[in-house]
Amino acid sequence: MELWIYLGFWLLGIYTNYSSMLSIYLLGAFILSIPIFPWEVKGTRVIGISLCIFILGYGVGYFRLPLEYRSIDSPTDIEGRIISKSETKSDRLKYKIKIYKPKSLKGKKYITYLEEDILPGTVILNRTTLHPPEESPHPYGFQERTYYLGEDISFQGKSFEVSVLETSPRYRKWSEIIYKRLQNSLEYFPEEEKSLFSSMLLGNRYALDSQKIENLYQFGLGHILAISGLHLGILTGVFYGIISFITKNKRWSEHFSLGISFLYLFLVGFPISGMRVWLILFLSMILKRNRLPWKILYIPGFIMFLQTLWYPGVIFSFSFWLSYGAYFAILLMPKYLESIFYPYHQLAKVVIVTIGVHIFILPLLLTMESRIGILQLLGNIVLLPFYTLFITCGFLHMIIAFCLGTGVRIFIFGIHSLYRIIIYLESILSPFGKISITFPKPHLSFIFLYFFLLFFILRREKEEFTPKMRYSIMAYVLVFASIWSHQIWKDYLTPKVDFIYVGQGDSTLIRTKGLDLLFDTGGSHMEGYRPGKKYTLPYLQGKGIQSLDGVFLSHFDADHVDGLFDIMEKIEVKKVFVSHIPKEHPLIQYLSQNNIPIKKLKKGDRIEIPFGEINVISTGLEHTNEENDRSLVLDLVLKDFHLLFPGDAEEPLEKELVIPHSIDIYHVSHHGSKTSSTPSFLNQLSAKVGVISCGKNNEYGHPHKEVLERLHNAGISILRTDIMGSFYGKIDEEINFYDYRPKRYHNKDLLILAISYILFLWTMKKSMEDEDDLGRTVKKE
């Protein structure tokens, strides 16, 4: 138990560099708890060591984490060594490069895309610009900054000219030859199977089309695309079986199979997920052979420490936590689930392990997906065994074809038949994809509560809970439930308006007493760029929204409506409101095909909603071909506050508008374009706050300087999505705005975390009286 406390403070020290406020409060809760408990000598020693380890972790994070970013906007000569190379869907290759010069950037790493095929290990001079990863506009979508932080990447580079300064070492050239020979061993497979093997066995994720990748994730099988424990376990097991059959020597079989696994990892670029599994297998073998008195649960903890010592930023990688979470689940959960399946637990081992893993890593899954579906569980129970056999056969074919020549086709027919079975099973299971529940992204306090209670459940088999333990659990649950039930009820009775960052576009979410409405959806006219999928959909899912009661489309420009295609793939849309219905528009056809009611509004329409109403001020100018001036103009009234949404109305339409009252929040027309928000119109509004929705560094230069001056002269405060990202307003006695930029935690969150930690320490004292025996000591066979 003590080792896990030390590891926790080590990780907390590293994380403090990234989010100091949270860590300071957790550390403060620990320090304040010291005088509360009658710690004995052992407890005092644990406290002292924990604080020292926390400081050490903070120091490692401070010197090793690339948290400070600065752009190099003009092309600059950067000298560096290529660390890794991977294929992409285009003709260019993706490279990860460690910088040697200039000295100010020495040791930093960046990624760039080149048409040249250059071996890893080569030193190049690259004329490039460097830009830091983008800050996420809200916490629900892809977190580019933390993703690259977890990959030890500081910059993204745009290359203009490349020259080789030093050729790759000889061993790199041999590895390239071996890799290509392995790749050629797949040439006689059908294209779909070939791309799947190339992705799963050789780490070429881009070999698969996006639809196949999405299907695998829908079945909860995205992990088979990474070189992970499944692949290493299969490869090691195959070679162990072959060598032990030939030599009858288990020790040689273990050493040889681990050596082959290491060579395989070298060929595919030493992926982190694969290396951590290899180290666990390697240490397990050492402990087993030398009969060292370590428990098997200490092995992943030791590997976690080594990984974070080598590069502390790995704690920001989801694969890091998912891998270790799955490993702990496999060790801890099955024996607690076997009683449920008794006496059939031997027959239901796959089901038990799958359920156990999903239970253990549930908060992580919700953080990533915001939804849990029965299809993910069925995919791992039904499909994973077949994919495991598919991968095993693929490994065997590659090994034989590598040794005997690419013309060997022993397994091709069997593999093809196996893949047809997989496709058939996927078609049977696909209808279950509709059975899912969308959850809000879990709060940190929920994650703490979840693992806190799971900790006690897993201890139950060792000893009965003492009265003090029972009281602490009850107190914790009561405090948590009372605080959050009050907050949930308060939020339910408080209307909210969320201004979503969707790049260069518009989208606003209205939430009022269980009713969810969306004003515009974001989108783009650019091919391959999907703001609806990148921004709008993840935001809605992160809020736990499973259906939208109504979607209001101001007009039919792509940056206002195109995101609806992406939203409707995952979220039910009950009705769409428009100002006009253009002929042969693809969105209208799509809505009709999906039987979504379309209601055409007219001037003077009034829609009642909880705590307010929606009034249609205008449906645009009738005799014009300009979509902007056909915009739907809405007056949203919530608790006597007026919010005006004019779409992309320009000066001709603004002249026709009559606003019968002053406006509290003006959603600035046309993203702050100078063709809108005329001085006479602003004077008519008498608005207090203006919200401008526009993309960062957009090509149109929105918002225009003239409009900002007009708003300022009219006494209107300005809030902008290109600066703040997504933000929201709570409407009660007044309107308060909140954004998602890194900042303080709310008082209720800090209170929950502090109480959680103090109660955890209270019960931890009881646990420290003897070592936790949930882990199993590895014994020599």
Side-chain angles (χ1 to χ4, degrees):
M1 175 59 71
E2 291 177 39
L3 289 178
W4 294 113
I5 297 171
Y6 300 151
L7 181 62
F9 273 89
W10 166 260
L11 298 175
L12 183 63
I14 294 173
Y15 189 74
T16 301
N17 293 273
Y18 187 79
S19 181
S20 58
M21 183 60 68
L22 171 63
S23 299
I24 287 172
Y25 272 89
L26 285 175
L27 184 62
F30 179 84
I31 295 173
L32 290 174
S33 67
I34 292 175
I36 299 177
F37 310 112
W39 295 97
E40 299 171 358
V41 175
K42 187 178 182 181
T44 305
R45 175 171 59 84
V46 170
I47 293 173
I49 296 175
S50 298
L51 294 179
C52 291
I53 290 176
F54 173 84
I55 294 171
L56 181 62
Y58 180 83
V60 170
Y62 181 81
F63 288 105
R64 295 294 307 280
L65 289 178
L67 294 173
E68 295 183 5
Y69 300 92
R70 61 183 182 87
S71 295
I72 299 179
D73 297 314
S74 57
T76 304
D77 289 333
I78 305 291
E79 181 181 324
R81 184 181 295 275
I82 295 176
I83 299 174
S84 64
K85 174 185 71 172
S86 58
E87 297 180 13
T88 67
K89 289 191 177 298
S90 66
D91 295 332
R92 299 185 302 167
L93 297 170
K94 179 181 178 181
Y95 293 91
K96 182 178 180 180
I97 302 171
K98 184 176 182 179
I99 299 174
Y100 288 168
K101 295 179 182 179
K103 287 186 177 181
S104 60
L105 298 175
K106 186 176 181 179
K108 304 288 186 183
K109 301 180 181 70
Y110 71 97
I111 58 169
T112 191
Y113 297 85
L114 302 172
E115 294 181 357
E116 297 88 344
D117 189 352
I118 308 175
L119 290 178
T122 304
V123 178
I124 63 171
L125 184 66
N126 186 15
R127 190 161 186 80
T128 182
T129 59
L130 295 178
H131 298 281
E134 290 184 3
E135 290 280 1
S136 176
H138 58 72
Y140 307 118
F142 175 63
Q143 306 297 311
E144 186 176 85
R145 185 186 178 195
T146 53
Y147 171 78
Y148 282 119
L149 193 59
E151 297 290 321
D152 192 15
I153 296 171
S154 301
F155 300 99
Q156 300 175 77
K158 182 179 180 182
S159 299
F160 296 93
E161 184 180 347
V162 178
S163 58
V164 175
L165 300 180
E166 180 183 320
T167 58
S168 177
R170 183 173 296 179
Y171 73 89
R172 288 285 191 178
K173 297 176 182 178
W174 279 105
S175 70
E176 186 77 2
I177 293 172
I178 296 172
Y179 182 86
K180 288 184 177 179
R181 186 175 176 88
L182 290 173
Q183 203 168 35
N184 291 337
S185 69
L186 304 173
E187 62 179 297
Y188 292 106
F189 283 99
E191 190 60 36
E192 191 172 357
E193 296 170 31
K194 178 181 176 180
S195 61
L196 195 58
F197 275 134
S198 182
S199 175
M200 292 190 305
L201 302 182
L202 298 177
N204 181 13
R205 183 186 179 91
Y206 292 98
L208 283 178
D209 60 71
S210 56
Q211 185 59 49
K212 182 61 179 178
I213 293 175
E214 187 173 343
N215 287 342
L216 287 171
Y217 275 102
Q218 285 179 347
F219 285 106
L221 298 173
H223 56 88
I224 68 173
L225 297 177
I227 306 300
S228 62
L230 176 65
H231 303 72
L232 263 294
I234 291 173
L235 182 62
T236 306
V238 166
F239 271 97
Y240 179 83
I242 293 173
I243 302 303
S244 61
F245 177 78
I246 296 173
T247 66
K248 308 299 182 181
N249 188 316
K250 291 186 177 181
R251 177 170 293 188
W252 275 104
S253 301
E254 289 175 347
H255 293 171
F256 189 81
S257 59
L258 284 175
I260 291 295
S261 298
F262 187 83
L263 176 62
Y264 170 64
L265 290 174
F266 169 71
L267 293 174
V268 295
F270 287 120
I272 294 176
S273 55
M275 277 304 301
R276 71 172 64 101
V277 174
W278 188 90
L279 286 172
I280 289 174
L281 293 173
F282 178 72
L283 283 178
S284 299
M285 184 188 71
I286 292 177
L287 294 177
K288 182 179 179 181
R289 289 298 174 193
N290 294 279
R291 292 185 292 180
L292 297 177
W294 260 38
K295 298 179 180 180
I296 198 168
L297 276 177
Y298 291 168
I299 296 175
F302 181 67
I303 302 299
M304 288 176 74
F305 172 74
L306 290 180
Q307 276 196 277
T308 53
L309 183 63
W310 177 260
Y311 176 59
V314 73
I315 68 172
F316 299 99
S317 169
F318 260 108
S319 67
F320 175 82
W321 295 107
L322 287 172
S323 295
Y324 284 113
Y327 187 83
F328 290 134
I330 291 171
L331 289 176
L332 297 174
M333 295 297 294
K335 64 179 180 179
Y336 297 96
L337 295 173
E338 285 175 359
S339 60
I340 300 175
F341 292 89
Y342 183 83
Y344 307 105
H345 60 273
Q346 294 298 328
L347 300 174
K349 280 191 176 296
V350 174
V351 178
I352 289 172
V353 171
T354 302
I355 293 175
V357 169
H358 278 73
I359 290 174
F360 201 87
I361 64 175
L362 178 62
L364 299 176
L365 294 176
L366 290 178
T367 300
M368 292 181 64
E369 297 290 337
S370 295
R371 59 190 288 146
I372 294 294
I374 192 173
L375 190 60
Q376 296 171 336
L377 196 61
L378 290 175
N380 278 272
I381 293 173
V382 178
L383 293 176
L384 186 57
F386 287 94
Y387 270 112
T388 302
L389 184 59
F390 183 71
I391 294 172
T392 304
C393 294
F395 271 128
L396 289 172
H397 170 82
M398 284 176 56
I399 294 166
I400 295 173
F402 180 83
C403 297
L404 302 180
T406 56
V408 176
R409 306 185 185 184
I410 296 175
F411 292 97
I412 289 181
F413 177 76
I415 290 174
H416 182 65
S417 300
L418 183 60
Y419 188 66
R420 300 309 302 171
I421 293 173
I422 291 174
I423 296 298
Y424 175 71
L425 290 175
E426 286 182 348
S427 65
I428 293 175
L429 296 178
S430 290
F432 291 98
K434 298 179 181 179
I435 306 174
S436 64
I437 303 175
T438 301
F439 295 90
K441 183 177 180 179
H443 192 274
L444 189 60
S445 56
F446 168 80
I447 297 175
F448 202 104
L449 169 69
Y450 187 88
F451 285 110
F452 177 81
L453 295 178
L454 194 60
F455 166 79
F456 284 104
I457 293 171
L458 294 178
R459 284 192 57 82
R460 180 67 186 266
E461 196 165 288
K462 179 188 174 183
E463 60 179 345
E464 291 296 324
F465 295 146
T466 64
K468 184 179 289 188
M469 283 182 166
R470 293 194 190 98
Y471 294 149
S472 70
I473 295 173
M474 291 173 60
Y476 183 88
V477 173
L478 286 174
V479 169
F480 182 92
S482 60
I483 293 175
W484 274 98
S485 60
H486 174 265
Q487 185 62 43
I488 291 172
W489 180 248
K490 184 178 179 181
D491 284 347
Y492 181 75
L493 297 178
T494 304
K496 288 172 283 295
V497 182
D498 298 43
F499 299 95
I500 307 171
Y501 179 86
V502 290
Q504 185 60 20
D506 266 345
S507 187
T508 306
L509 174 66
I510 314 299
R511 295 173 291 158
T512 174
K513 205 173 183 180
L515 187 75
D516 296 313
L517 306 172
L518 193 66
F519 288 11
D520 287 332
T521 66
S524 172
H525 61 276
M526 297 170 58
E527 185 177 353
Y529 176 55
R530 307 294 307 170
K533 191 170 187 176
K534 183 177 181 180
Y535 299 118
T536 323
L537 178 60
Y539 189 92
L540 298 176
Q541 290 182 317
K543 291 293 184 182
I545 294 175
Q546 300 185 68
S547 64
L548 290 167
D549 298 283
V551 174
F552 292 78
L553 303 178
S554 62
H555 60 298
F556 285 86
D557 279 351
D559 60 330
H560 290 253
V561 303
D562 190 61
L564 191 55
F565 290 105
D566 304 299
I567 291 170
M568 288 180 59
E569 290 181 3
K570 303 289 185 180
I571 294 176
E572 178 189 3
V573 174
K574 296 180 179 179
K575 185 177 289 188
V576 174
F577 299 88
V578 298
S579 63
H580 63 289
I581 301 178
K583 295 181 179 180
E584 298 183 356
H585 193 282
L587 180 59
I588 298 298
Q589 297 175 3
Y590 184 74
L591 293 173
S592 299
Q593 291 170 2
N594 287 274
N595 299 317
I596 307 298
I598 305 173
K599 180 174 177 57
K600 183 179 177 182
L601 297 171
K602 61 182 183 297
K603 181 178 179 180
D605 281 350
R606 177 174 172 271
I607 302 172
E608 292 188 1
I609 60 175
F611 300 116
E613 61 188 24
I614 300 173
N615 298 310
V616 180
I617 301 295
S618 173
T619 55
L621 302 177
E622 293 185 3
H623 305 292
T624 179
N625 293 323
E626 291 291 333
E627 271 294 323
N628 288 344
D629 283 329
R630 303 204 70 177
S631 290
L632 182 65
V633 181
L634 300 175
D635 173 31
L636 171 65
V637 184
L638 287 171
K639 288 193 172 183
D640 296 327
F641 288 95
H642 291 267
L643 296 83
L644 185 68
F645 293 87
D648 277 357
E650 296 186 316
E651 185 174 359
L653 177 56
E654 287 183 351
K655 289 180 178 180
E656 302 294 324
L657 296 178
V658 177
I659 311 301
H661 41 67
S662 62
I663 296 298
D664 295 286
I665 298 177
Y666 166 46
H667 194 282
V668 177
S669 180
H670 201 184
H671 322 289
S673 170
K674 61 185 177 183
T675 59
S676 306
S677 302
T678 58
S680 59
F681 182 65
L682 294 179
N683 291 334
Q684 182 187 174
L685 297 182
S686 300
K688 299 179 179 65
V689 177
V691 174
I692 302 177
S693 179
C694 59
K696 296 178 182 177
N697 305 314
N698 64 83
E699 59 183 308
Y700 305 101
H702 294 158
H704 290 150
K705 183 179 179 180
E706 299 95 315
V707 174
L708 296 176
E709 290 177 353
R710 294 174 200 166
L711 294 170
H712 177 73
N713 294 334
I716 300 174
S717 302
I718 302 172
L719 301 175
R720 296 166 49 174
T721 59
D722 62 329
I723 295 176
M724 300 173 63
S726 298
F727 60 94
Y728 61 97
K730 289 186 176 182
I731 301 176
D732 204 348
E733 300 299 325
E734 55 185 18
I735 303 178
N736 295 306
F737 292 97
Y738 306 89
D739 62 64
Y740 299 100
R741 291 175 293 185
K743 57 182 181 303
R744 74 282 165 198
Y745 282 77
H746 299 307
N747 291 333
K748 69 174 187 303
D749 306 330
L750 298 174
L751 178 62
I752 290 172
L753 289 170
I755 293 174
S756 302
Y757 210 77
I758 290 173
L759 290 174
F760 178 76
L761 289 171
W762 184 12
T763 54
M764 186 182 68
K765 176 185 179 294
K766 194 68 179 173
S767 304
M768 284 170 49
E769 293 177 357
D770 49 17
E771 287 290 332
D772 193 333
D773 67 348
L774 286 176
R776 302 184 300 276
T777 303
V778 179
K779 298 180 181 179
K780 185 175 180 179
E781 294 180 353

